[in-house]
């Protein structure tokens, strides 16, 4: 093969590689863009435990039955008069705190209804997702307080204008106590563990769940 032919062949190969790399780069950029779009939508959407369970329920009659019970119970959860006065800084705060108290009631109910069903891994996964959605809304509301008031701790007496009640049990002030109690009961009875809310060796488990289950001594053989 003459040097000229070799040179032309080398140039052609280089051009082909350049096109291949450009095509691969464009493909990966598109995939990254799609992933970023999905993450943006996921992060922007408000946490909604009930809607998530409703979507994944499918043909699971037990799950659907629990979902209906807890949806009815959550609909009855409302802010007290004192809490309502404390959050009337803006419509967003009142609406968000109202939604959060309903989400907390839903997930607390979800964790308490027919606990033996959590011997099944899919049921534990549904609970983990419901808790994740609740915590998502919980943290979104704390961020909203910071935006509305400039306070890093939300909500506190300092975040409430003079003349309002310094209510310490506003839903976003702390993780719902009834939900914490129900999760601890499940863990104590051996139905769930921190690892159900995260990946390998509980890596990725939300800090709020880790704190809620701290010090729990689980019984063995519950699901036998």
């Amino acid at each position: 093969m003459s040097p000229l032919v070799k040179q032309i062949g080398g140039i052609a190969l280089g051009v082909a590689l350049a096109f291949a790399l450009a095509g691969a780069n464009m493909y990966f950029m598109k995939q990254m863009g799609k992933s970023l779009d999905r993450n943006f939508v996921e992060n922007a959407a408000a946490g909604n435990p009930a809607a998530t369970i409703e979507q994944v329920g499918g043909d699971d009659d037990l799950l659907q039955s629990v979902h209906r019970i807890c949806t009815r119970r959550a609909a009855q959860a409302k802010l007290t008069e004192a809490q309502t006065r404390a959050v009337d800084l803006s419509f967003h705060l009142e609406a968000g705190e109202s939604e959060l108290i309903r989400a907390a009631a839903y997930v607390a109910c979800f964790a308490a209804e027919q606990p033996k069903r959590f011997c099944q891994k899919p049921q534990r996964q549904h609970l983990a997702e419901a808790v994740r959605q609740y915590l998502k809304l919980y943290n979104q509301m704390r961020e909203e307080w910071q935006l509305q008031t400039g306070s890093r701790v939300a909500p506190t007496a300092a975040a409430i204008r003079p003349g309002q009640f310094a209510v310490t049990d506003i839903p976003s002030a702390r993780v719902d106590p009834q939900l914490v109690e129900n999760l601890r009961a499940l863990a104590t009875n051996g139905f769930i563990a921190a690892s159900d809310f995260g990946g390998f060796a509980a890596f990725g488990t939300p800090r709020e769940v880790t704190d809620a289950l701290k010090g729990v001594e689980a019984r063995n053989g519950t699901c036998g």
Side-chain angles (χ1 to χ4, degrees), residues 83-96:
Q83 289 173 331
T84 301
R85 286 194 294 271
V87 298
D88 72 356
L89 286 169
S90 78
F91 169 78
H92 292 294
L93 289 175
E94 183 174 352

Side-chain angles (χ1 to χ4, degrees), residues 131-146:
V131 170
R132 188 186 77 83
Q133 288 290 326
Y134 161 74
L135 291 175
K136 178 184 176 183
L137 183 57
Y138 169 78
N139 286 306
Q140 286 171 332
M141 278 309 304
R142 294 179 72 85
E143 290 172 2
E144 183 65 21
W145 270 95
Q146 184 175 339

Side-chain angles (χ1 to χ4, degrees), residues 146-219:
Q146 184 175 339
L147 289 172
Q148 294 281 344
T149 66
S151 173
R152 286 187 173 275
V153 181
T156 64
I160 300 172
R161 69 169 180 259
Q164 289 182 302
F165 285 86
V167 182
T168 58
D169 63 343
I170 288 175
S172 63
R174 55 177 175 169
V175 175
D176 183 70
Q178 187 62 59
L179 172 56
V180 171
E181 182 180 330
N182 292 352
L183 289 178
R184 288 183 65 85
L186 286 175
T188 299
N189 288 310
F191 290 118
I192 65 169
S195 58
D196 292 314
F197 298 85
F200 178 73
F203 179 78
T205 298
R207 175 184 54 80
E208 295 87 352
V209 174
T210 302
D211 291 344
L213 301 184
K214 187 178 297 181
V216 172
E217 295 184 10
R219 299 172 188 167

Side-chain angles (χ1 to χ4, degrees), residues 33-99:
K34 290 179 181 178
S35 177
L36 288 173
D37 286 343
R38 285 194 297 270
N39 289 336
F40 176 80
V41 171
E42 162 66 14
N43 291 331
N48 192 333
T52 302
I53 298 303
E54 189 173 60
Q55 292 167 6
V56 303
D59 299 327
D60 191 329
D61 293 336
L62 177 57
L63 181 63
Q64 287 300 320
S65 174
V66 171
H67 170 68
R68 287 192 294 270
I69 292 170
C70 295
T71 298
R72 289 194 296 269
R73 194 167 300 173
Q76 299 172 5
K78 292 178 173 56
L79 298 175
T80 65
E81 290 184 12
Q83 289 173 331
T84 301
R85 286 194 294 271
V87 298
D88 72 356
L89 286 169
S90 78
F91 169 78
H92 292 294
L93 289 175
E94 183 174 352
E97 294 288 353
S98 296
E99 189 60 36

